[in-house]
Amino acid sequence: MSAYLIIIRNAVAESASYRLNQIVSFLTISLPLVFAVFLWKTVFNQVDEITNFDLPSTLTYYLLVVLLQDILYSGVKWEIVDDIHSGGLTKWLTKPISYLWMQVSVRIGTNIPYFLVAFILGSVFVFLNLNRLVWTTEPIRWLMFLAAIIMAFFLAFFLSFGFSLVAFWTQDTSGIEFAISIFLPLLSGQILPITFFPKEFQAILVYLPWRYTLDFPIQVYLGTLSSVQIGTGFTVEFLWLVALYFIAKTLWKNGLNIYQAVGG
Amino acid sequence: MTISVQNLTKIYKRRLLTQGQYSILKNFLKPTYEKVQALCNISLTIGQGEMVGLIGPNGAGKSTLIKILSGILVPTSGDVRVLEHIPWAHNKTCQSQISLIIGQKTQLWWDLPALDSYELLKAVYHIAANDFDKRLARLSEMLNVTDLLNVPIRELSLGERIKTELIGGLLHNPKIIFLDEPTIGLDLSAQYQIRSFLREYNSLTNASIILTSHYVRDIESVCDRIVVLHKGQFYYDGTQDALSEKFIPYKKLMIHHQPGEYSWRLDPSVVNTSPDQASAYLPVDQVDDFIALVVSQSPIYEVVVEDETLEDLIRRIYNRLSK
Amino acid sequence: MNYFSLWLIFLRNSWKRVLVYRVNFLILIIGNLFWFIFSILFFQILFAQIPAIGGWTLNEVIFLLCVNQIVIGFYDTFIKANLERLPSRIREGSLDFDLVKPVDPIFWLTFQRVQISSMFSLALPAFILVRLLLTHSIVIPNSTAIFLFFLMLFGAVVLRFVVGVLIASLAMRFISVQSLFSLQSEFFQYSGYPTSIYSKGAKLFFTFGIPVIMLANFPAQALLGNKFEPIELSLYPVYIIFGLILAVKVFSHSLRKYSSLGG
């Protein structure tokens, strides 16, 4: 257990080692929110709500996107691709440590400084917009939010891990990374809540896994979904989680065979 | 004087990362620095046509000196003139007459053939068309790379790359050529070619050549003058012969003897290569006594006595310097 | 020193380099346009739900996004690849060769690589812009407007240059400024947002503080023939010229203080 903690700590130190970068990350993270406030205030001056969303829920939505988008990232991780292609994976295979759980630790560790910064930012933002955000006091919503977040973390991780394992089979991952970078922001709800999309698209997106990495947990918190939608959501999310876990494990086993056959 | 340096000093600031529990926070809020003295009050002059070799252990200040002389680095204090100009003032006339070549780094465009980069250099240095053609032809012939000029740089071997790099650095007929570790990583044959090229080039054009290298053979075969740097100061500045004379010469002995554990084999100056063979490295005045000792203890098949090479001498100097 | 013919060699070498690396060129071109395409999608979806944003119609917003993307395209094509690579080149120590050449270092370091893929990416926003004009969704009043438009477009690229050079100057002292480059890119993406969303104070800040509005809004307004506030019009050239002088001075100063790593 301690090995994973040390990995977390090293990941923290590494991502915190550039002073100027930290201050700038702070500013870069705040940017979308600053402009979002201006934009949505103007929009909601003319309408009261857009499909269940009012100004507070929209602003809170984007705040939560900013807070969660890194730890719930479901695209290709270049570190894993690099480990596979350059043979760096070998050093992990000889150690009594699970590569998968090691990557989980790295993800958590890298995000801790980010969270610290985001927490400060979030507090400032909340303070400046006290009457304009959604704050729920219902314990059941918090519980569901927590459950959705935890499931989202592993869902996103298995998606990310799984796609990165493509590196076992191909040298050139740029095509798949490209495809993911086109669809990910749209499908996950990073750009707009899924409910803003035309009905036809929503019907499809609800059954795809990406929506559950950002849109779903956030909307659970905001209370913009009906109980039926929440119920279906959790079910679909759970099924995807199980499926992706097994897919990731299979990809890992098969990929490792290839890796070891080539000699790393 | 082509190059004159007086009382040159260069001090770097290097950031320190501390260890410990709260180190991350401490380094963030209040970073600490240490001072590294790269060059300490050095002075020298170099004339036109001289071939000077700078050697010294790692961190001695060789690259720092080259960078100051070529104008890349600004010193902390001191006066430097290169062709009557202050190098870091970047006077265009001065820059048009110097050249910098760094081992394992290329100024040529990586994905394109050398010729494309040469065209750029031709425009940068305002080289007249027929001068350019003549020099290019001659240089590529001297270095044997005429066929390689149309090959993208990234597809060339390291030796070929350095040769095209050299050509690129000489097309504008510089008066001074700075070379920082030009032969590093090259095989012996390529090293030899580069060395003889530099000698030939110097005799043809009377360009001054200032060269740093870890390979003593580079200095030995190319440079008349050796400057030994240690911890930012000159340890020696003069000819190769005078260097050998400054130090008591050593001899290398190779002793082929009947196998056995003899006490002379335990002497600190002896390296035992096998049960019946040993070599020793000794000051010249101790050789006779040592041979007498060996002969008195063991039957000898053969003793070979050689002069130490410049490389051995330099290694000895480095050893002494590190103490 | 004929800088223009030197630049032509830069262009030629950059083009040759692309021919060598034919792979993924199309991906690069489309990749450059992600934010642009997403923004258009975003506003199209949004405008399905609301009629206008502070008085701006969908066509006007798309027009603004196109102008913004064109400014970004010019910066990316001619300047970005060079300035934003400076920090890593400084780390590698490969800047040394550039400082030894008898060429103005700012010119040499800013323009050496022409990003051909970004040049091609300009096609999409240009195409959409022209279509908007041809379908009369946007109307140009007179030729002064066109002249002013191109002038301000140039001014916008100069502004990006100024910001880029100032950040690159920092790279000489603090090695890791990559994040600053990302930050300014992010800022200037939002130049495509209609100015009606800003309060009075914010508008002032985003015009003269961080010149987000100057980048796309000014040229766009010029082309539409809208009136500028007198303060905007008078301060604009001062701002740009002052910025240019400042950037050149700071960069030269930083180059002089530059210390390369290694020895």
Side-chain angles (χ1 to χ4, degrees), chain B residues 31-256:
Chain B
T32 50
Y33 297 94
E34 67 171 350
K35 283 206 165 89
V36 178
Q37 185 134 36
L39 292 173
C40 267
N41 209 10
I42 56 171
S43 305
L44 91 157
T45 53
I46 298 177
Q48 190 61 43
E50 274 200 72
M51 317 245 280
V52 181
L54 287 178
I55 53 174
N58 278 333
K62 313 187 288 293
S63 287
T64 306
L65 182 56
I66 290 246
K67 284 181 184 175
I68 291 180
L69 292 176
S70 54
I72 297 168
L73 216 44
V74 178
T76 311
S77 66
D79 191 48
V80 177
R81 298 287 151 137
V82 171
L83 296 169
E84 316 286 321
H85 294 278
I86 298 176
W88 56 91
H90 293 174
N91 171 281
K92 300 253 189 323
T93 323
C94 178
Q95 288 179 312
S96 300
Q97 297 178 301
I98 67 173
S99 182
L100 176 65
I101 289 157
I102 305 179
Q104 295 202 318
K105 283 207 201 137
T106 180
Q107 62 158 325
L108 309 176
W109 282 48
W110 188 246
D111 305 303
L112 296 178
L115 272 178
D116 289 321
S117 299
Y118 295 161
E119 286 291 334
L120 181 58
L121 292 170
K122 180 171 163 221
V124 166
Y125 289 103
H126 297 305
I127 308 174
N130 49 351
D131 283 336
F132 176 79
D133 294 331
K134 258 193 314 190
R135 278 178 217 150
L136 179 57
R138 187 177 48 164
L139 289 168
S140 39
E141 206 197 302
M142 278 168 88
L143 284 166
N144 232 334
V145 288
T146 323
D147 309 322
L148 298 175
L149 298 180
N150 269 311
V151 177
I153 301 292
R154 69 166 196 274
E155 288 175 25
L156 298 175
S157 70
L158 183 61
E160 292 162 341
R161 242 182 275 154
I162 279 284
K163 290 180 189 168
T164 50
E165 186 72 22
L166 271 172
I167 296 175
L170 300 176
L171 285 168
H172 61 287
N173 209 23
K175 290 216 177 89
I176 304 178
I177 308 166
F178 296 107
L179 297 122
D180 196 2
E181 312 261 4
T183 57
I184 195 167
L186 294 181
D187 63 50
L188 291 173
S189 148
Q191 285 181 25
Y192 176 80
Q193 289 173 47
I194 303 285
R195 288 176 203 141
S196 54
F197 169 77
L198 288 174
R199 277 199 307 274
E200 199 183 340
Y201 188 81
N202 166 263
S203 69
L204 280 173
T205 63
N206 205 34
S208 304
I209 293 183
I210 292 103
L211 168 67
T212 73
S213 186
H214 274 301
Y215 298 126
V216 180
R217 295 250 43 215
D218 281 350
I219 310 287
E220 199 175 10
S221 51
V222 175
C223 305
D224 321 307
R225 181 173 158 192
I226 298 185
V227 174
V228 181
L229 270 167
H230 175 62
K231 295 211 176 129
Q233 289 183 304
F234 286 156
Y235 182 74
Y236 174 80
D237 178 3
T239 61
Q240 284 187 36
D241 299 327
L243 179 65
S244 312
E245 279 164 34
K246 179 172 166 166
F247 293 85
I248 302 168
Y250 272 42
K251 295 270 185 196
K252 287 205 295 206
L253 276 66
M254 226 274 293
I255 303 166
H256 192 196

Side-chain angles (χ1 to χ4, degrees), chain A residues 84 165 168-169 250-261:
Chain A
I84 294 174
L165 294 186
F168 277 129
W169 287 272
T250 318
L251 286 175
W252 174 252
K253 219 174 72 170
N254 291 339
L256 207 55
N257 283 340
I258 298 180
Y259 183 84
Q260 291 173 318

Side-chain angles (χ1 to χ4, degrees), chain A residues 33-92:
Chain A
L33 286 181
V34 168
F35 288 102
V37 173
F38 283 118
L39 180 71
W40 292 108
K41 260 175 67 182
T42 318
V43 168
F44 283 106
N45 264 343
Q46 299 171 246
V47 289
D48 281 328
E49 66 161 40
I50 301 178
T51 63
N52 255 0
F53 274 79
D54 55 5
L55 181 63
S57 18
T58 313
L59 288 184
T60 317
Y61 182 90
Y62 283 105
L63 174 64
L64 288 173
V65 165
V66 166
L67 288 176
L68 298 170
Q69 63 191 359
D70 260 14
I71 199 158
L72 297 178
Y73 174 70
S74 52
V76 170
K77 277 209 74 186
W78 71 266
E79 291 92 346
I80 300 180
V81 172
D82 193 54
D83 272 348
I84 294 174
H85 284 161
S86 69
L89 190 58
T90 315
K91 64 178 181 288
W92 292 106

